[in-house]
Amino acid sequence: MNLSDSKMKLAIAGIVCGLVAVCLAYFGNPANMAFCIACFIRDTAGALGLHSTETVQYARPEIIGLVLGAFIISVVTKEYRSTAGSSPVTRFVLGMILVIGSLVFLGCPLRMIIRMSAGDLNAWVALIGFILGVGTGVIALKKGFSLGRAHLTNRMSGGALPVLMLGILVLALATTLLKSSESGPGSMHAPIILSLIGGLIFGAFAQKSRMCFAGSIRDVILMKNFDLLTIIGSLFVVMLIYNIATGNFTFAFDTPGVIAHSEHLWNILGMYAVGFAAVLAGGCPLRHLILAGQGSSDSAMTVAGMFIGAALAHNLGLAASGTALNAETQEVVAGSVPLNGKIAVIICIVVCFVIGFFNKRSENK
Amino acid sequence: MKEVDARGLSCPEPMMLTEEAVKSEKGAIRILVTEPHQRMNVEKCARDHGREYTSTETEDGFAVVIDPQK
């Protein structure tokens, strides 16, 4: 089974994943979040006690399902390969940047598309930053950037992250050890079984279609190849139809309840860091969960970096706050990016430049 | 025969190396990659440049031999 050899199949994969996101939004996931990799990793990190922000703690079965879905489909279709050794610590750092940039914008590239489909103009502004970030990564690639080769390794190594994810699922289902929000975004979720099935389906389709939000724009800039963009386009259309049909489409900035803010410069710079880091790491946050599921220990390191980045974003006060309605006064309170978050984004961008322009293919063997 | 060893490299490096080789080398080229989708991308690149190719599975991935330009 190959979903990446024709634009029609890629479009179908995007539609299926869009429908999964629609179902999860309909059955209880936060409005306009539906399926956000950065937010869900942040929630899962909170459930494990890696940070203590009580409103964003929940072991999201979608994340577990994505990794396990990619693992199962890659084993069944003989695409599972246990590999490791391509600058793992650099990839860990890039994972941290992917999530810190996302939490300053308030969403990963997948959620950016979902927010765009709901008419959130802040997400359209952030798209500018994301494209510029991907473009800067492409310049680094053209100047010879590389993180070096991965090598085949012990089969069990590639299976470690899927097993850890299974462990989180068992803890969530069979114990009370994990934290779970009683209010806020972490308390809003579809039933566990639906979230898990949704994650498994999304993971399987993402693995077979090579879905990647950064890769889609990178391929257009680098090779004028629109294949991967087809998936994103069809996912966007499905979500757009759902949002219009259910009255969730609001074409505006500063919409209370959307979990977004209108600090344009920081929306742009946050997603600039994400786009840049994603090209250097070889994929967006979603793609790394999928690659980790199909055996890449290097992507598993990126995922570990994302967990730590999410924890730091909340422990050090880097994450932005969303525009909200004050229940008592009925006033709209604008969301914002804290000073620590702004400093962190600048550091992230500087680190991307250092990684992007000091790791050369010519130095690799 | 020119050989491009793209094994273990992250996307889009195998594709970039293939493009570079196909543009600069008129003779046969042997390209080594690790992942199935990388093999597919290399084959697509050869087709886009009007070149014929033969793919085989190797111990640690795939080898795509692109025929000389006609």
Side-chain angles (χ1 to χ4, degrees):
Chain A
M1 184 175 67
N2 186 355
L3 294 180
S4 60
D5 58 355
S6 82
K7 281 199 173 66
M8 178 63 80
K9 289 182 186 173
L10 290 168
I12 290 169
I15 290 169
V16 170
C17 291
L19 290 174
V20 169
V22 162
C23 286
L24 294 173
Y26 182 80
F27 283 104
N29 279 9
N32 291 308
M33 195 175 285
F35 210 128
C36 172
I37 308 304
C39 309
F40 287 3
I41 283 179
R42 182 264 326 271
D43 291 352
T44 307
L48 293 168
L50 295 176
H51 69 73
S52 52
T53 305
E54 292 180 352
T55 51
V56 285
Q57 294 173 323
Y58 176 60
R60 294 277 179 187
E62 290 89 346
I63 295 295
I64 299 164
L66 280 174
V67 174
L68 294 180
F71 174 72
I72 293 165
I73 198 79
S74 64
V75 169
V76 170
T77 59
K78 297 186 170 52
E79 289 194 357
Y80 174 84
R81 281 168 201 272
S82 182
T83 58
S86 169
S87 307
V89 179
T90 305
R91 290 179 184 276
F92 180 90
V93 173
L94 289 170
M96 290 174 67
I97 295 171
L98 284 174
V99 162
I100 290 171
S102 293
L103 292 178
V104 164
F105 160 66
L106 290 175
C108 70
L110 170 55
R111 184 172 181 237
M112 179 179 72
I113 301 296
I114 291 172
R115 279 173 53 180
M116 284 162 59
S117 74
D120 177 6
L121 293 173
N122 295 305
W124 287 91
V125 169
L127 177 65
I128 298 167
F130 187 63
I131 293 171
L132 290 174
V134 171
T136 313
V138 167
I139 293 170
L141 280 168
K142 284 186 171 177
K143 289 196 173 295
F145 165 79
S146 176
L147 287 181
R149 294 181 197 281
H151 301 276
L152 288 175
T153 184
N154 186 314
R155 280 180 80 82
M156 292 303 290
S157 172
L161 191 77
V163 170
L164 284 173
M165 288 292 167
L166 199 59
I168 295 174
L169 182 64
V170 171
L171 289 178
L173 292 174
T175 75
T176 55
L177 285 171
L178 301 186
K179 298 176 192 303
S180 189
S181 298
E182 291 176 2
S183 63
S187 67
M188 300 161 74
H189 53 81
I192 289 179
I193 187 69
L194 272 185
S195 297
L196 183 63
I197 292 171
L200 287 166
I201 294 171
F202 205 120
F205 274 85
Q207 198 276 332
K208 297 315 293 179
S209 65
R210 329 292 174 203
M211 183 183 294
C212 178
F213 292 81
S216 61
I217 294 170
R218 177 201 67 205
D219 285 0
V220 171
I221 298 173
L222 189 64
M223 294 176 283
K224 311 287 179 284
N225 181 328
F226 290 78
D227 289 358
L228 287 177
L229 202 61
T230 312
I231 313 176
I232 315 303
S234 53
L235 191 147
F236 171 81
V237 169
V238 171
M239 289 303 296
L240 180 68
I241 293 168
Y242 166 75
N243 285 317
I244 292 172
T246 55
N248 286 325
F249 186 86
T250 310
F251 199 61
F253 290 109
D254 271 332
T255 311
V258 173
I259 314 177
H261 63 79
S262 298
E263 290 204 27
H264 304 314
L265 175 65
W266 299 101
N267 278 329
I268 290 173
L269 291 179
M271 287 314 275
Y272 177 86
V274 174
F276 195 173
V279 171
L280 299 181
C284 66
L286 167 71
R287 183 75 180 137
H288 282 291
L289 286 173
I290 302 304
L291 288 171
Q294 67 181 63
S296 167
S297 293
D298 293 321
S299 282
M301 284 297 283
T302 311
V303 172
M306 289 198 278
F307 269 84
I308 297 304
L312 285 180
H314 282 273
N315 288 338
L316 304 181
L318 315 179
S321 59
T323 297
L325 196 65
N326 186 315
E328 288 178 9
T329 62
Q330 292 299 303
E331 283 177 12
V332 175
V333 180
S336 62
V337 180
L339 178 64
N340 291 0
K342 294 172 181 174
I343 295 169
V345 165
I346 291 168
I347 293 171
C348 286
I349 292 171
V350 170
V351 171
C352 281
F353 271 96
V354 172
I355 292 173
F357 293 93
F358 287 92
N359 286 280
K360 295 293 183 188
R361 193 177 301 128
S362 54
E363 294 168 11
N364 299 326
K365 290 179 182 172
Chain B
M1 185 191 303
K2 182 182 175 76
E3 184 166 287
V4 175
D5 185 358
R7 287 174 297 176
L9 295 176
S10 297
C11 285
E13 289 177 66
M15 198 59 193
M16 292 174 72
L17 295 175
T18 304
E19 278 275 348
E20 201 177 290
V22 171
K23 280 178 184 167
S24 63
E25 176 63 49
K26 308 289 181 205
I29 313 163
R30 185 168 186 256
I31 296 165
L32 303 171
V33 293
T34 311
E35 305 289 340
H37 71 276
Q38 293 173 342
R39 179 196 66 180
M40 208 181 68
N41 287 340
V42 169
E43 292 171 348
K44 185 175 182 295
C45 178
R47 280 198 302 275
D48 288 347
H49 286 83
R51 308 270 288 260
E52 292 183 356
Y53 57 86
T54 314
S55 297
T56 50
E57 201 159 338
T58 62
E59 200 175 286
D60 56 355
F62 304 91
V64 182
V65 175
I66 298 177
D67 294 347
Q69 197 172 42
K70 286 176 184 170

